[in-house]
Amino acid sequence: MANLFPIITIKSSKPGPEGLIIAGVHGDEYEPILAVRQLINELKGKIGKGSLTLVPVVNKGAFLAGARLGSDGLDLARTCPGKKVGSITEQVAHEISKLIRKADFLIDMHTGGNLFEISPLSGYMMHPNSEVLDTQRAMAEAFNLPIIWGTSPDLEGRTLSVARDENVPAIYTEYRGGGYYPDGIGDLVDGCKNVLAYFGMFPSVKGDSKVTLKIEDNQPGSGHLQEMYPAPEEGVFVATVELGQEVRQNEVLGYLCDFYGEKKIEVHTLQAGRIFLIRAVPMAKKGDALAGILSAGNSNYYEKIG
């Protein structure tokens, strides 16, 4: 089978870990794609040991359409491990899952795409294997984004689900969205290099820590961004909070109005915490996520730093 997506492998002459860095699981998430492209150019001949496989655009069809989903209407991040014989998204999921199973660690980079703006964060599943979990925590710390977020190990269909089942340490990142922010590419490139440094494959570029919040929440469904603060009905959403804002319980997040602007439903916070996700477009269908809050109230570990 011809490659469904571009694959570049950089090998060292010395034995070591086999790393995998991917982007473009969703086609409307651009900064990670350009970050992997930059890594390909900068890391050639510079990996100190082991090998590194880079996939700049996993979901090529969705990228060319400027969309989150593939042409078959499937979300690649809900389709893994996929099928060898199936729709295009199922085939891509099958092929990327094969790469993940062969890796010693995985970095999967995302943004909020066209619909959401998300505070920069490094995330991981709360893996039942303590050794894998500790490695993931260290990888997220090394990536050096402001938020570190551990979530439920029970979510299926994702690249991290495949990694979980194979005991492959894995993190994902989120970085803005709701537009294109090229200034973030450097942070993603540096983060990947720092994780490579953690595995002894590259010199560290990490300066002062940028981490401001560490949170772990292994409740069922934690980490499922598309279910947060679902719209009670369709309408035009107007946010009244900003990304990064600290809120109290029962504050107004925003409101929904009809297309004439006459009907308004206030959406209130259910807990105190930090706004880390906000809907970036006013269009909202019933059930669409409107916002997300990271809260000490629904986590088993929560630490604000600085």
Side-chain angles (χ1 to χ4, degrees):
M1 177 190 292
N3 288 338
L4 292 168
F5 42 76
I7 303 171
I8 297 89
T9 299
I10 302 170
K11 295 183 178 181
S12 168
S13 59
K14 298 179 181 178
E18 295 185 13
L20 175 61
I21 300 176
I22 67 176
V25 165
H26 298 123
D28 59 348
E29 301 177 3
Y30 304 111
E31 296 88 340
I33 292 169
L34 293 175
V36 174
R37 175 177 171 271
Q38 185 171 327
L39 286 166
I40 291 167
N41 292 327
E42 291 187 7
L43 295 178
K44 288 178 181 177
K46 295 181 181 177
I47 296 298
K49 65 178 182 179
S51 65
L52 180 64
T53 297
L54 302 110
V55 182
V57 186
V58 177
N59 199 341
K60 206 162 60 169
F63 171 76
L64 292 173
R68 176 181 175 88
L69 308 181
S71 59
D72 53 8
L74 295 180
D75 185 338
L76 180 55
R78 305 292 182 269
T79 308
C80 292
K83 298 177 182 177
K84 185 175 183 179
V85 178
S87 70
I88 183 61
T89 302
E90 290 171 327
Q91 291 180 52
V92 171
H94 176 77
E95 290 301 307
I96 198 64
S97 296
K98 284 167 57 177
L99 287 183
I100 294 168
R101 294 188 186 104
K102 294 191 295 184
D104 292 314
F105 66 88
L106 166 69
I107 302 171
D108 181 359
M109 295 190 289
H110 292 261
T111 77
N114 293 326
L115 293 181
F116 301 105
E117 190 174 1
I118 303 175
S119 296
L121 65 86
S122 302
Y124 51 88
M125 286 186 172
M126 298 293 292
H127 202 285
N129 181 309
S130 60
E131 184 177 347
V132 173
L133 180 56
D134 285 345
T135 302
Q136 293 178 158
R137 286 169 172 153
M139 291 169 66
E141 185 89 39
F143 207 98
N144 202 26
L145 293 179
I147 296 170
I148 295 175
W149 191 26
T151 55
S152 169
D154 299 324
L155 298 176
E156 301 295 341
R158 302 156 191 253
T159 58
L160 265 65
S161 310
V162 177
R164 174 203 63 204
D165 293 345
E166 297 294 321
N167 287 325
V168 175
I171 64 170
Y172 71 98
T173 64
E174 299 282 359
Y175 202 107
R176 300 292 296 270
Y180 170 52
Y181 299 94
D183 290 348
I185 294 170
D187 287 343
L188 297 177
V189 169
D190 287 349
C192 289
K193 289 177 178 178
N194 284 327
V195 174
L196 294 177
Y198 167 76
F199 286 102
M201 301 170 69
F202 192 81
S204 176
V205 296
K206 185 176 180 180
D208 294 338
S209 175
K210 299 176 183 176
V211 178
T212 61
L213 178 63
K214 296 181 182 180
I215 180 168
E216 291 188 342
D217 177 6
N218 58 9
Q219 294 185 93
S222 64
H224 194 162
L225 304 183
Q226 285 72 27
E227 291 186 348
M228 294 184 167
Y229 283 89
E233 60 182 66
E234 70 177 25
V236 179
F237 177 64
V238 179
T240 55
V241 295
E242 296 180 351
L243 207 64
Q245 181 176 330
E246 296 285 340
V247 294
R248 299 183 300 273
Q249 186 175 1
N250 207 34
E251 282 192 41
V252 178
L253 276 171
Y255 58 86
L256 281 165
C257 62
D258 66 17
F259 303 114
Y260 302 98
E262 296 176 355
K263 181 179 179 183
K264 182 162 55 171
I265 300 174
E266 288 187 344
V267 181
H268 292 85
T269 62
L270 300 177
Q271 73 270 70
R274 183 185 299 185
I275 302 291
F276 83 102
L277 176 146
I278 199 76
R279 193 165 189 83
V281 296
M283 178 278 295
K285 294 176 284 187
K286 184 177 180 179
D288 282 351
L290 302 178
I293 299 174
L294 295 177
S295 171
N298 58 1
S299 62
N300 53 300
Y301 178 84
Y302 185 96
E303 179 186 2
K304 283 200 274 189
I305 301 166

